[in-house]
Amino acid sequence: WVKPGKASWSWWGEHDSPKDFKRLKEYINLAKEQNWEYCLIDANWDLMKNGGTVQDLIKYANSVGVPLSLWYNSGGPHNNVTERPRDIMYVDSLRKAEFKKLNEWGVKAVKIDFFQSDKQPIIKLYHDILKDAADNQIMVVFHGCTLPRGWSRTYPNLVSLEGIRGAEQYGWSNDFAIKAASHNTVVTATRNVVGPMDYTPVTFSDYDCCKHQTSNAHELALSVLFESGITHLADRVDSYRKQDKAVKEFLKVVPVTWDDTKFVAGNPNNLMVIARQKGDQWFVAGINGDSTVKELNVELPFIKEGKYKLQLYSDGADARKIAFNEAEFAAGNAIPVKMLPKGGFAAILKK
């Protein structure tokens, strides 16, 4: 019942949408179109209106084969955040009853937010949540939380944690937008190494306050570079639907779990290129962390034999365009790539 996957998520682009049944249906429909496994319903879903309740939404989601994940506030007296539902996860009896109810509803995961500290009672709360969730076959993502500390070894239903300045920062921090390209190279080599990272990647569209300086190909590459047991693909429905067919196909097939990972090239701040294997396929992705054009011959010496079909997604004529090309690739070859400033690329090698 611990089944990693991708999830659509409405809050990044439409903060009030978790209270809007009709808008949320569109995110479930997007997940269905894209073969994504889940849809996350964020804060204040217990106030849902405009056509239905959360129970109605769960029934709809289960009927189309896209089960839901639900957001919760972890408080309790340890935070004063008013987002709902709150005061459930902190109380043992309420939490146990809630997880039992979610299991009966067919909800597969929860995202629990706003832990606020690493004090001993809060660390105990994390463990109590994980145990009670496991008893009811519920996966857990922690948000507003500590770094990974190996707890997934004990509780494999813990599939991701935030502990990262992620894509939500585009909603209010222009400083984040300016530094995001460099930041993404750093966290690939540091934060994500210690455990799964709920960055909520692959955002192509913009907020008025804080526009992307990364290219669309850079954003696409994050789906390979960043590892999370549930990867919340954070952009708006319309943004994903208007992408070229090849880009939508990539987001359908890119895995969230891997058989092998290889460092290919780069250094934090400047460049990061990673290759990941799933079955007989390799996914290769790179991002440019600075404002210079980079031309690379990406060598993959760990591919010792065989011929592959190469599908390459790279920076197009400008930062908002992704160029798609296909070619043959044989062991010993290199992949020539040109990256725009703060650009990137992704590639699939198929047998």
Side-chain angles (χ1 to χ4, degrees):
W1 54 268
V2 177
K3 296 181 179 179
K6 290 165 284 192
S8 59
W9 177 44
S10 70
W11 183 89
W12 186 88
E14 304 178 55
H15 287 355
D16 285 337
S17 59
K19 295 184 285 187
D20 190 323
F21 176 84
K22 291 181 179 178
R23 288 305 303 146
L24 292 171
K25 280 185 70 175
E26 284 303 295
Y27 282 86
I28 293 168
N29 293 340
L30 172 69
K32 181 66 174 179
E33 294 163 17
Q34 286 294 122
N35 296 332
W36 299 344
E37 289 82 356
Y38 305 105
C39 179
L40 170 64
I41 310 303
D42 214 280
N44 301 313
W45 52 261
D46 58 336
L47 302 175
M48 194 178 300
K49 53 186 180 180
N50 192 23
T53 66
V54 69
Q55 290 93 339
D56 297 322
L57 192 73
I58 290 167
K59 289 176 183 177
Y60 177 75
N62 290 341
S63 74
V64 298
V66 181
L68 297 186
S69 173
L70 296 182
W71 183 97
Y72 286 82
N73 187 329
S74 73
H78 59 272
N79 79 49
N80 59 6
V81 178
T82 58
E83 303 304 305
R84 303 160 55 110
R86 60 163 293 141
D87 301 321
I88 295 174
M89 290 296 154
Y90 187 78
V91 178
D92 285 357
S93 59
L94 297 179
R95 182 179 61 247
K96 292 175 189 295
E98 190 77 359
F99 282 139
K100 183 175 184 295
K101 179 180 73 177
L102 294 181
N103 176 280
E104 292 168 353
W105 281 356
V107 171
K108 299 300 183 184
V110 291
K111 179 180 277 196
I112 305 176
D113 204 346
F114 298 120
F115 286 88
Q116 308 299 88
S117 82
D118 284 357
K119 293 180 180 179
Q120 288 183 350
I122 303 302
I123 298 298
K124 180 179 183 300
L125 177 61
Y126 285 118
H127 288 265
D128 291 344
I129 289 170
L130 289 169
K131 182 181 185 303
D132 291 342
D135 288 344
N136 290 279
Q137 299 190 356
I138 303 290
M139 293 179 289
V140 176
V141 176
F142 288 132
H143 209 67
C145 63
T146 192
L147 290 166
R149 301 185 182 280
W151 298 337
S152 295
R153 300 284 291 186
T154 304
Y155 301 103
N157 57 318
L158 174 58
V159 293
S160 197
L161 305 90
E162 188 188 25
I164 179 70
R165 286 193 83 199
E168 67 179 11
Q169 299 285 326
Y170 279 112
W172 53 81
S173 174
N174 196 48
D175 179 68
F176 176 85
I178 292 168
K179 297 176 180 177
S182 172
H183 172 71
N184 292 341
T185 68
V186 172
V187 297
T188 302
T190 55
R191 163 62 183 86
N192 213 179
V193 172
V194 301
M197 179 175 78
D198 189 34
Y199 178 104
T200 67
V202 193
T203 53
F204 301 126
S205 63
D206 286 318
Y207 286 89
D208 291 339
C209 71
C210 318
K211 298 184 185 300
H212 284 79
Q213 297 192 14
T214 55
S215 74
N216 280 18
H218 181 119
E219 292 296 314
L220 188 69
L222 300 183
S223 65
V224 177
L225 290 174
F226 292 171
E227 184 272 322
S228 178
I230 293 181
T231 296
H232 297 96
L233 297 165
D235 209 346
R236 302 168 174 95
V237 169
D238 292 346
S239 177
Y240 286 128
R241 283 179 173 161
K242 76 179 183 183
Q243 299 303 314
D244 290 344
K245 181 180 178 181
V247 173
K248 289 189 283 189
E249 188 62 28
F250 184 93
L251 291 173
K252 283 183 181 180
V253 302
V254 62
V256 302
T257 61
W258 306 95
D259 300 326
D260 197 4
T261 295
K262 301 289 188 184
F263 171 79
V264 176
N267 59 278
N269 276 338
N270 177 264
L271 172 72
M272 195 58 58
V273 184
I274 299 288
R276 299 189 190 268
Q277 185 183 25
K278 187 71 169 184
D280 62 359
Q281 297 186 98
W282 285 91
F283 289 73
V284 187
I287 52 174
N288 184 357
D290 61 37
S291 297
T292 63
V293 172
K294 288 186 172 60
E295 297 191 32
L296 307 176
N297 283 312
V298 179
E299 297 182 353
L300 307 172
F302 43 85
I303 298 181
K304 303 293 187 184
E305 58 185 19
K307 293 183 178 180
Y308 295 79
K309 179 181 179 181
L310 168 66
Q311 296 179 330
L312 179 62
Y313 302 75
S314 56
D315 287 319
D318 62 58
R320 301 281 70 84
K321 293 183 174 62
I322 297 176
F324 175 68
N325 294 284
E326 295 182 297
E328 297 298 319
F329 178 93
N333 289 359
I335 305 173
V337 175
K338 180 179 179 180
M339 287 190 283
L340 293 176
K342 301 185 179 182
F345 77 92
I348 307 175
L349 298 175
K350 296 183 177 182
K351 283 285 192 181

